[in-house]
Coordinates of all heavy atoms in Angstrom, one line a residue:
H147 N 4.9 -132.6 -72.4 CA 4.5 -134.0 -72.7 C 5.7 -134.6 -73.5 O 6.2 -135.7 -73.2 CB 3.2 -134.0 -73.5 CG 2.9 -135.3 -74.2 ND1 2.9 -136.5 -73.6 CD2 2.4 -135.5 -75.4 CE1 2.5 -137.4 -74.5 NE2 2.2 -136.8 -75.6
A148 N 6.2 -133.9 -74.5 CA 7.3 -134.4 -75.3 C 8.6 -134.5 -74.4 O 9.3 -135.6 -74.5 CB 7.6 -133.4 -76.4
V149 N 8.8 -133.6 -73.5 CA 10.0 -133.7 -72.6 C 9.9 -134.9 -71.7 O 10.9 -135.7 -71.6 CB 10.2 -132.4 -71.8 CG1 11.2 -132.6 -70.7 CG2 10.5 -131.2 -72.6
F150 N 8.7 -135.1 -71.2 CA 8.6 -136.3 -70.3 C 8.7 -137.6 -71.0 O 9.4 -138.5 -70.6 CB 7.2 -136.2 -69.6 CG 7.0 -137.4 -68.6 CD1 7.6 -137.3 -67.3 CD2 6.3 -138.5 -69.0 CE1 7.5 -138.3 -66.4 CE2 6.2 -139.6 -68.1 CZ 6.8 -139.5 -66.8
M151 N 8.2 -137.7 -72.3 CA 8.3 -138.9 -73.0 C 9.8 -139.1 -73.3 O 10.3 -140.3 -73.3 CB 7.5 -138.9 -74.3 CG 6.1 -139.3 -74.2 SD 5.8 -140.9 -73.3 CE 6.7 -142.1 -74.2
A152 N 10.5 -138.1 -73.6 CA 11.9 -138.2 -73.9 C 12.7 -138.8 -72.7 O 13.5 -139.7 -72.9 CB 12.5 -136.9 -74.4
L153 N 12.4 -138.3 -71.5 CA 13.0 -138.8 -70.3 C 12.7 -140.2 -70.1 O 13.6 -141.0 -69.8 CB 12.5 -138.0 -69.1 CG 13.0 -136.6 -68.9 CD1 12.3 -135.9 -67.8 CD2 14.5 -136.5 -68.7
T154 N 11.5 -140.6 -70.3 CA 11.1 -142.0 -70.2 C 11.9 -142.9 -71.1 O 12.4 -144.0 -70.7 CB 9.6 -142.2 -70.4 OG1 8.9 -141.2 -69.6 CG2 9.1 -143.6 -70.1
V155 N 11.9 -142.5 -72.4 CA 12.7 -143.2 -73.4 C 14.1 -143.4 -73.0 O 14.7 -144.4 -73.1 CB 12.6 -142.5 -74.8 CG1 13.6 -143.1 -75.8 CG2 11.1 -142.7 -75.3
F156 N 14.7 -142.3 -72.4 CA 16.1 -142.3 -72.0 C 16.4 -143.3 -71.0 O 17.4 -144.0 -71.0 CB 16.4 -140.8 -71.5 CG 17.8 -140.6 -71.1 CD1 18.8 -140.5 -72.1 CD2 18.1 -140.5 -69.8 CE1 20.1 -140.3 -71.7 CE2 19.4 -140.3 -69.4 CZ 20.4 -140.2 -70.3
V157 N 15.5 -143.5 -70.0 CA 15.7 -144.4 -68.9 C 15.6 -145.9 -69.5 O 16.4 -146.8 -69.2 CB 14.8 -144.3 -67.7 CG1 15.0 -145.3 -66.7 CG2 14.9 -142.9 -67.1
V158 N 14.6 -146.1 -70.3 CA 14.3 -147.4 -70.8 C 15.5 -147.9 -71.7 O 15.9 -149.0 -71.7 CB 13.0 -147.5 -71.5 CG1 12.8 -148.8 -72.3 CG2 11.8 -147.3 -70.5
L159 N 16.0 -146.9 -72.5 CA 17.2 -147.1 -73.3 C 18.3 -147.7 -72.6 O 19.0 -148.6 -73.1 CB 17.7 -145.8 -73.9 CG 17.1 -145.3 -75.2 CD1 17.9 -144.0 -75.5 CD2 17.3 -146.3 -76.2
A160 N 18.5 -147.2 -71.3 CA 19.7 -147.6 -70.6 C 19.6 -149.0 -70.0 O 20.5 -149.5 -69.3 CB 19.9 -146.6 -69.4
G161 N 18.4 -149.6 -70.2 CA 18.3 -151.0 -69.8 C 17.7 -151.3 -68.4 O 17.4 -150.3 -67.7
V162 N 17.6 -152.5 -68.0 CA 16.9 -152.9 -66.8 C 17.7 -152.5 -65.5 O 17.3 -151.7 -64.7 CB 16.6 -154.4 -66.8 CG1 16.0 -154.8 -65.4 CG2 15.7 -154.7 -67.9
G163 N 19.0 -153.0 -65.5 CA 19.8 -152.7 -64.3 C 20.3 -151.3 -64.3 O 20.2 -150.6 -63.3
G164 N 20.9 -150.9 -65.4 CA 21.6 -149.6 -65.5 C 20.7 -148.4 -65.6 O 21.0 -147.3 -65.3
G165 N 19.4 -148.7 -66.1 CA 18.5 -147.6 -66.2 C 17.4 -147.6 -65.1 O 17.4 -146.8 -64.2
I166 N 16.5 -148.6 -65.3 CA 15.3 -148.7 -64.4 C 15.7 -148.8 -63.0 O 15.2 -148.1 -62.1 CB 14.4 -149.8 -64.9 CG1 14.0 -149.6 -66.4 CG2 13.2 -149.9 -64.0 CD1 13.2 -150.7 -67.0
E167 N 16.5 -149.8 -62.7 CA 16.9 -150.1 -61.3 C 17.6 -149.0 -60.6 O 17.4 -148.5 -59.5 CB 17.7 -151.4 -61.2 CG 18.0 -151.8 -59.8 CD 18.6 -153.2 -59.7 OE1 18.7 -153.9 -60.7 OE2 19.0 -153.6 -58.6
R168 N 18.6 -148.5 -61.4 CA 19.5 -147.4 -60.8 C 18.6 -146.2 -60.5 O 18.7 -145.6 -59.4 CB 20.6 -147.1 -61.8 CG 21.6 -146.1 -61.3 CD 23.0 -146.4 -61.7 NE 23.1 -146.6 -63.1 CZ 23.9 -145.8 -63.9 NH1 24.6 -144.9 -63.4 NH2 23.9 -146.0 -65.2
A169 N 17.7 -145.8 -61.4 CA 16.9 -144.6 -61.2 C 16.0 -144.8 -60.0 O 15.9 -143.9 -59.1 CB 16.1 -144.3 -62.4
S170 N 15.4 -146.0 -59.9 CA 14.5 -146.3 -58.8 C 15.1 -146.2 -57.4 O 14.6 -145.7 -56.4 CB 13.8 -147.6 -58.9 OG 13.3 -147.8 -60.2
K171 N 16.4 -146.7 -57.3 CA 17.1 -146.7 -56.0 C 17.4 -145.3 -55.5 O 17.5 -145.2 -54.3 CB 18.4 -147.5 -56.1 CG 18.2 -149.0 -56.0 CD 19.4 -149.7 -56.3 CE 20.0 -150.5 -55.2 NZ 21.0 -151.5 -55.6
I172 N 17.5 -144.4 -56.3 CA 17.8 -143.0 -55.9 C 16.4 -142.3 -55.6 O 16.3 -141.6 -54.6 CB 18.6 -142.2 -56.9 CG1 19.8 -143.0 -57.3 CG2 18.9 -140.8 -56.5 CD1 20.6 -142.4 -58.5
L173 N 15.5 -142.5 -56.5 CA 14.3 -141.7 -56.5 C 13.3 -142.1 -55.5 O 12.6 -141.2 -54.9 CB 13.7 -141.7 -57.9 CG 14.6 -141.2 -59.0 CD1 14.0 -141.4 -60.4 CD2 15.1 -139.8 -58.8
M174 N 13.1 -143.4 -55.2 CA 12.1 -143.8 -54.3 C 12.3 -143.4 -52.8 O 11.4 -142.9 -52.2 CB 11.9 -145.3 -54.4 CG 11.3 -145.8 -55.7 SD 9.8 -144.9 -56.2 CE 8.7 -145.5 -55.0
P175 N 13.5 -143.6 -52.3 CA 13.7 -143.1 -50.9 C 13.5 -141.6 -50.8 O 12.9 -141.1 -49.8 CB 15.2 -143.4 -50.6 CG 15.5 -144.6 -51.6 CD 14.7 -144.3 -52.8
A176 N 13.9 -140.8 -51.8 CA 13.7 -139.4 -51.8 C 12.2 -139.0 -51.7 O 11.8 -138.1 -51.0 CB 14.4 -138.7 -53.0
L177 N 11.5 -139.8 -52.5 CA 10.0 -139.5 -52.5 C 9.4 -139.7 -51.1 O 8.6 -138.9 -50.7 CB 9.4 -140.5 -53.5 CG 7.9 -140.5 -53.6 CD1 7.5 -139.5 -54.7 CD2 7.3 -141.8 -53.9
F178 N 9.8 -140.8 -50.4 CA 9.2 -141.0 -49.1 C 9.6 -139.9 -48.1 O 8.7 -139.4 -47.4 CB 9.8 -142.4 -48.6 CG 8.8 -143.5 -48.8 CD1 9.0 -144.3 -49.9 CD2 7.8 -143.7 -47.9 CE1 8.0 -145.4 -50.0 CE2 6.9 -144.7 -48.1 CZ 7.0 -145.6 -49.2
A179 N 10.8 -139.5 -48.1 CA 11.3 -138.5 -47.2 C 10.4 -137.2 -47.4 O 9.9 -136.6 -46.5 CB 12.7 -138.2 -47.4
L180 N 10.3 -136.8 -48.7 CA 9.6 -135.6 -48.9 C 8.1 -135.6 -48.5 O 7.5 -134.7 -48.0 CB 9.7 -135.1 -50.3 CG 9.5 -133.6 -50.3 CD1 10.7 -132.8 -49.9 CD2 8.9 -133.1 -51.6
L181 N 7.5 -136.8 -48.8 CA 6.1 -137.0 -48.5 C 5.9 -136.7 -47.0 O 4.9 -136.0 -46.6 CB 5.7 -138.4 -48.8 CG 5.0 -138.6 -50.1 CD1 4.7 -140.1 -50.3 CD2 3.7 -137.8 -50.2
I182 N 6.8 -137.3 -46.2 CA 6.6 -137.1 -44.7 C 6.7 -135.7 -44.3 O 5.8 -135.2 -43.6 CB 7.6 -138.0 -44.0 CG1 7.3 -139.5 -44.3 CG2 7.6 -137.7 -42.5 CD1 8.3 -140.5 -43.8
V183 N 7.7 -134.9 -44.8 CA 7.8 -133.5 -44.5 C 6.5 -132.8 -44.8 O 6.0 -132.0 -44.1 CB 9.0 -132.9 -45.2 CG1 9.1 -131.4 -45.0 CG2 10.3 -133.6 -44.8
L184 N 6.0 -133.0 -46.0 CA 4.9 -132.3 -46.5 C 3.6 -132.6 -45.8 O 2.7 -131.8 -45.5 CB 4.7 -132.5 -48.0 CG 5.8 -131.9 -48.9 CD1 5.7 -132.4 -50.3 CD2 5.9 -130.4 -48.8

Side-chain angles (χ1 to χ4, degrees):
H147 164 47
V149 169
F150 183 80
M151 273 315 299
L153 288 172
T154 308
V155 166
F156 182 75
V157 177
V158 172
L159 271 185
V162 176
I166 303 175
E167 181 171 358
R168 185 139 55 119
S170 310
K171 275 171 116 166
I172 305 170
L173 303 175
M174 293 308 290
L177 179 90
F178 262 96
L180 201 82
L181 264 176
I182 293 171
V183 174
L184 294 170

